[in-house]
Amino acid sequence: MKKLSFITETFTESVIREMTRICDAIGGINLSQGFPDFDTPEELKALAIEAIRSGRNQYPVTFGEPILRGRIAEKMHRFNRVECDPATDITVCCGATEAMLSTLKAIINPGDEVIIFEPFYENYGPDAILSGAKPRYVPLTPPDWSYDQEQLNSAFNNHTKAIILNTPNNPTGKVFSREELEGIALLCLKWDVFAVTDEIYEHILYDGSEHISLASIDGMSDRTITINSASKTYSATGWRVGWAVAVRPITERIRKVHDFVTVGAPTPLQHAAAEALRFPDEYYRSLADRYQEARNLFLAGLTGCGFQPYEPKGSYYVMADTKAARERLGAGNDVDFTRLLVNKTGVAAVPGSAFYSDPAVGLNQARFAFCKKPETLRKALQLLKDAALLGND
Ligand code: PLP
């Protein structure tokens, strides 16, 4: 057989999916992958069924059904202080996942550099490589996941094409402040760099944190591509409806890539998502309340189980220091630790190294997803406690 692609040869299987597989095989509790174990709102399911019944089953308009693009523009105005034209500035994609890849493919030339904060959402590295970009990482440091301004300044250079920003952040739960965003904007303007912002956790915020869209900061609207999706806000990760918002010349390119890669996101689900985008404020408040309760419950419990969690301010993940528990289990590294953990306790987490360019940095970290019912979280905490990782057995 001839050699397969050199690019994909370097990709490893997603550790998150590996953990999910092990967890499913032993019937454990999956706190590794970020999807809810409660169902999509009934109203939304009814809308999807109705869309299928009413015959919305053929190819959509490739860059998004007009009704959905209209609602996305409305929502950007309502929540993000970003004005966009649904006719020219929006591309509906198969989830934020495709929106990110289609965007990078649209703006990157081989050899361009892309700045990525780390720890990062695990798709960004492969996305950058698939689009021919060289990732340049800037560390976020616990406990508050702040970055060193000098390090960020020196990551920008004449080869920098874009910075990828994820706020609220997976895996850290960091919510970038206005001051930080203004600083990033100044650097983007100085170096003539695009910003690609992944804002899919925009409504999942704790302790009064505020989500600010980078595109709303002065000077950024025509150089920012804002990515979002129905997955997390409407607890519908399987629907695969996401979007990218950017000014017309950028959108024209994104649409070209998108058209060839996927043609379009599922037609009936686009129509259902369009209605969801008009949900009243109360929907978003109760979503945030639900996750605030889950975060408080899980954070308090995790501390008593031999982990030192870093308090998230948004998204539905918590990174925890696992050094004591890892040493107690005699695991040589974080990957072995999470494998041992799932086998011993039935609770699956993601090894820290999955989120770093240098695996050594994640040696003593693991990420837990707490987008689960309270009873699931209580059960997981009990299993972790029973394993006596603190050494109290
Ligand atoms: N971006 C981030 C930061 C995520 O955490 C995830 C999923 O966990 C995605 C994108 C994937 O989004 P989608 O389901 O819309 O493709």
Side-chain angles (χ1 to χ4, degrees), residues 95-161:
T97 303
E98 189 232 297
M100 179 61 74
L101 188 57
S102 290
T103 297
L104 293 181
K105 281 281 194 193
I107 63 174
I108 298 295
N109 288 315
D112 286 346
E113 291 187 9
V114 170
I115 297 173
I116 300 175
F117 287 102
E118 69 173 344
F120 45 76
Y121 170 54
E122 64 165 3
N123 281 27
Y124 298 158
D127 283 347
I129 293 165
L130 279 174
S131 58
K134 183 170 166 265
R136 189 177 274 271
Y137 298 101
V138 174
L140 298 170
T141 312
D144 60 352
W145 306 104
S146 54
Y147 54 87
D148 179 76
Q149 189 61 48
E150 277 312 306
Q151 261 176 335
L152 181 63
N153 295 350
S154 59
F156 281 79
N157 63 58
N158 287 329
H159 301 290
T160 312
K161 180 59 82 62

Side-chain angles (χ1 to χ4, degrees), residues 11-299:
F11 291 4
T12 48
E13 187 201 14
S14 155
V15 229
I16 298 181
R17 279 180 273 285
E18 184 199 339
M19 283 300 148
T20 297
R21 214 181 37 250
I22 300 175
C23 187
D24 288 349
I26 62 165
I29 298 181
N30 187 356
L31 302 188
S32 63
Q33 210 174 357
F35 62 86
D37 70 343
F38 46 87
D39 208 356
T40 310
E42 284 304 322
E43 192 185 342
L44 209 49
K45 291 198 289 187
L47 286 163
I49 292 162
E50 175 50 29
I52 290 172
R53 288 228 169 89
S54 67
R56 304 218 181 261
N57 300 303
Q58 307 307 327
Y59 291 130
V61 173
T62 178
F63 41 82
E65 290 287 268
I67 186 170
L68 177 56
R69 280 182 285 125
R71 299 285 167 81
I72 291 167
E74 256 177 44
K75 186 167 176 292
M76 291 294 284
H77 171 80
R78 176 177 165 201
F79 289 110
N80 308 87
R81 296 198 185 135
V82 174
E83 303 306 323
C84 58
D85 182 342
T88 56
D89 302 346
I90 296 171
T91 314
V92 175
C93 296
C94 291
T97 303
E98 189 232 297
M100 179 61 74
L101 188 57
S102 290
T103 297
L104 293 181
K105 281 281 194 193
I107 63 174
I108 298 295
N109 288 315
D112 286 346
E113 291 187 9
V114 170
I115 297 173
I116 300 175
F117 287 102
E118 69 173 344
F120 45 76
Y121 170 54
E122 64 165 3
N123 281 27
Y124 298 158
D127 283 347
I129 293 165
L130 279 174
S131 58
K134 183 170 166 265
R136 189 177 274 271
Y137 298 101
V138 174
L140 298 170
T141 312
D144 60 352
W145 306 104
S146 54
Y147 54 87
D148 179 76
Q149 189 61 48
E150 277 312 306
Q151 261 176 335
L152 181 63
N153 295 350
S154 59
F156 281 79
N157 63 58
N158 287 329
H159 301 290
T160 312
K161 180 59 82 62
I163 179 167
I164 297 179
L165 190 89
N166 172 216
T167 182
N169 185 261
N170 171 11
T172 65
K174 177 183 173 72
V175 178
F176 283 74
S177 68
R178 180 171 293 280
E179 201 188 345
E180 287 174 324
L181 295 173
E182 285 174 351
I184 291 167
L186 284 179
L187 286 165
C188 290
L189 291 166
K190 177 178 170 190
W191 292 98
D192 189 17
V193 158
F194 293 112
V196 187
T197 69
D198 177 340
E199 306 187 11
I200 71 167
Y201 298 103
E202 66 174 337
H203 293 288
I204 303 175
L205 297 161
Y206 309 119
D207 310 328
S209 300
E210 187 194 3
H211 169 69
I212 299 163
S213 287
L214 189 58
S216 71
I217 304 277
D218 278 354
M220 290 305 287
S221 62
D222 58 355
R223 62 175 64 245
T224 303
I225 299 96
T226 307
I227 289 175
N228 214 318
S229 123
S231 288
K232 313 292 174 167
T233 304
Y234 306 107
S235 308
T237 55
W239 281 25
R240 316 311 301 133
V241 177
W243 51 89
V245 178
V247 288
R248 183 181 192 145
I250 305 175
T251 291
E252 277 174 356
R253 291 296 186 92
I254 297 172
R255 286 179 175 183
K256 284 187 194 175
V257 181
H258 160 76
D259 192 6
F260 290 120
V261 174
T262 61
V263 177
T267 310
L269 303 181
Q270 288 195 43
H271 284 269
E275 299 308 318
L277 264 62
R278 276 206 171 158
F279 278 173
D281 290 352
E282 178 47 30
Y283 173 81
Y284 299 97
R285 258 197 305 275
S286 64
L287 180 82
D289 288 349
R290 154 177 243 156
Y291 282 124
Q292 175 91 51
E293 277 171 35
R295 186 208 67 166
N296 293 351
L297 165 78
F298 194 62
L299 215 60

Side-chain angles (χ1 to χ4, degrees), residues 118 333-335 351-365:
E118 69 173 344
N333 61 36
D334 58 312
V335 177
S353 56
F355 307 102
Y356 291 95
S357 52
D358 173 5
V361 184
L363 175 70
N364 288 315
Q365 291 175 6

Side-chain angles (χ1 to χ4, degrees), residues 328 387-393:
R328 168 102 183 128
L389 301 167
L390 273 178
N392 49 356
D393 55 347

